[in-house]
């Protein structure tokens, strides 16, 4: 290959990488974890074991789940009773009532799956996110 061909191939490879979203932690390039961190109040006193990072909001849980899902499209979204779970490639976000507002618990995928096993296993979410092939099976929200 000529030098020009190598340059064109390299540029095409970089464009393919960028357009495929390989650099993001979810489908639309906006990280759910970073969105939560920048839009909700950090509540370290509500953190849970194994790096479960808690945040709070003064809105109702369904409204918060809608905001997060709109900003960063989840692979799946499921609700059971008052709890809503958002599944991302790298994280599971659990949204629940907290007084008159909402608690948002952000876990890496494996920890979130272990923590919320009773719910997310029933949804068919794999325990190892590397085996997840996408497509979602949820409510379509």
């Amino acid at each position: 290959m000529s030098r020009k061909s190598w340059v064109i191939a390299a540029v095409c490879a970089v464009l393919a990488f960028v357009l495929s979203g390989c650099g993001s932690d979810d489908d639309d390039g906006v990280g759910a974890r970073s969105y939560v961190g920048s839009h909700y109040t950090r509540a370290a006193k509500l953190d849970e074991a194994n790096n479960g990072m808690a945040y709070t909001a003064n809105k109702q849980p369904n409204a918060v789940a809608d905001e997060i899902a709109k900003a960063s499209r989840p692979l799946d979204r499921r609700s059971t009773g008052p709890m809503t779970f958002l599944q991302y490639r790298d994280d599971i976000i659990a949204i629940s009532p907290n007084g008159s507002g909402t608690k948002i618990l952000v876990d890496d995928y494996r920890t979130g799956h272990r923590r919320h096993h009773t719910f997310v296993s029933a949804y068919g979410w794999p325990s190892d996110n590397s085996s997840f092939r996408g497509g979602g099976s949820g409510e379509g929200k």
Side-chain angles (χ1 to χ4, degrees), residues 21-68:
C22 291
S24 69
D25 64 353
D26 50 57
D27 290 342
D28 65 2
V30 177
R33 181 180 289 267
S34 62
Y35 178 83
V36 169
S38 65
H39 286 81
Y40 301 103
T41 304
R42 181 76 171 92
K45 67 182 189 297
L46 298 177
D47 282 355
E48 296 196 19
N50 301 314
N51 300 314
M53 295 180 65
Y55 298 83
T56 59
N58 292 325
K59 299 175 183 177
Q60 292 302 302
N62 200 44
V64 172
D66 288 346
E67 289 175 353
I68 297 169

Side-chain angles (χ1 to χ4, degrees), residues 74-127:
L75 297 170
D76 198 3
R77 174 181 175 164
R78 298 291 183 108
S79 295
T80 301
M83 301 279 299
T84 297
F85 298 93
L86 301 176
Q87 178 193 37
Y88 293 91
R89 204 172 311 149
D90 297 325
D91 300 306
I92 290 179
I93 298 178
I95 302 160
S96 61
N98 182 51
S100 62
T102 297
K103 176 183 175 183
I104 306 147
L105 186 65
V106 180
D107 279 304
D108 67 78
Y109 190 93
R110 287 184 188 206
T111 302
H113 195 282
R114 282 192 301 269
R115 186 182 317 281
H116 306 293
H117 176 78
T118 305
F119 300 106
V120 300
S121 291
Y123 307 149
W125 294 3
S127 60

